[in-house]
């Protein structure tokens, strides 16, 4: 249940921030937070990251539904006793559902976090996108931990193989 509460929190935070952008800002309007680094910019995306696959809503509906089902399955079957795995999946679940809601209701995703990193104009993103990235990073950390534990069990602490 804890993991689903994390996902619900992410969905609510994502949807509230998007609602604020849609209701309080004009499309294309930008508010500087940290000059030359961070802006709140009202932007819409009808595709995926960097605007790829524009207008392919049915593709996103099908893929996102599969991803959501898979994440719920893994939370139920694999996350018991693995806090980091459960949290990573919860972040990915919240992020996937947050953008899915936009695609279903608005037929586009509301983006608003706009950064310039080392003068690179990074694509505008949102809370759901951030949650997905954080979830993937946490999952990679969990996978590295699992791999290390497997090697330690297989080879022992001193690097010699035990049969």
């Amino acid at each position: 249940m804890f993991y689903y509460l994390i996902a619900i929190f992410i969905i609510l935070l994502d949807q509230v921030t998007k609602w604020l952008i849609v209701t309080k800002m004009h499309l294309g309007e930008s508010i500087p937070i940290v000059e030359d680094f961070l802006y709140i910019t009202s932007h819409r995306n009808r595709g995926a990251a960097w605007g790829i696959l524009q207008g392919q809503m049915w593709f996103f509906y099908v893929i996102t539904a599969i991803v959501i089902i898979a994440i719920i399955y893994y939370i139920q079957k694999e996350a018991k006793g693995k806090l980091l795995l459960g949290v990573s999946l919860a972040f990915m679940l919240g992020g996937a559902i947050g953008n899915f809601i936009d695609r279903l209701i608005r037929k586009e995703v509301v983006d608003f976090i706009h950064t310039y990193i080392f003068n690179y104009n990074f694509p505008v993103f949102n809370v759901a996108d951030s949650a997905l990235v954080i979830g993937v990073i946490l999952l990679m950390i969990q996978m590295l931990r699992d791999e290390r534990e497997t090697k330690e069990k297989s080879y022992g602490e001193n690097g010699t193989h035990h049969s």
Side-chain angles (χ1 to χ4, degrees):
M1 186 66 185
F2 172 68
Y3 304 132
Y4 296 112
L5 291 175
I6 292 171
I8 290 167
F9 174 77
I10 290 166
I11 294 164
L12 290 174
L13 180 62
D14 179 65
Q15 290 300 302
V16 166
T17 54
K18 289 173 178 175
W19 176 80
L20 287 169
I21 296 303
V22 168
T23 60
K24 305 292 182 196
M25 293 180 72
H26 299 288
L27 186 59
E29 182 180 355
S30 189
I31 301 168
I33 304 301
V34 178
E35 195 68 39
D36 295 326
F37 178 70
L38 177 64
Y39 298 80
I40 302 298
T41 301
S42 180
H43 179 75
R44 306 296 181 276
N45 185 353
R46 291 197 168 131
W50 289 273
I52 61 172
L53 299 172
Q54 289 285 330
Q56 303 295 316
M57 283 300 148
W58 285 107
F59 173 77
F60 291 116
Y61 295 152
V62 171
I63 294 299
T64 306
I66 292 168
V67 166
I68 289 168
I69 291 166
I71 292 171
I72 291 170
Y73 172 82
Y74 277 102
I75 287 173
Q76 293 299 119
K77 299 293 183 190
E78 303 294 330
K80 290 178 178 39
K82 293 185 175 180
L83 180 64
L84 186 59
L85 176 61
V87 170
S88 72
L89 293 170
F91 269 74
M92 288 188 280
L93 182 62
I97 292 173
N99 281 338
F100 191 60
I101 290 169
D102 277 22
R103 288 190 175 102
L104 280 176
I105 295 172
R106 295 187 175 93
K107 308 294 184 227
E108 61 188 4
V109 176
V110 176
D111 292 325
F112 59 91
I113 303 168
H114 191 186
T115 60
Y116 291 85
I117 301 173
F118 303 113
N119 292 324
Y120 175 70
N121 183 4
F122 201 78
V124 184
F125 58 99
N126 59 45
V127 171
D129 297 333
S130 301
L132 284 164
V133 169
I134 292 167
V136 168
I137 291 168
L138 294 175
L139 180 61
M140 289 179 2
I141 293 168
Q142 178 66 53
M143 292 168 69
L144 290 170
R145 279 179 159 181
D146 289 347
E147 184 179 336
R148 186 184 68 215
E149 286 176 17
T150 300
K151 283 182 181 177
E152 286 176 0
K153 286 178 185 173
S154 178
Y155 297 107
E157 294 288 338
N158 61 5
T160 58
H161 181 68
H162 299 289
S163 300

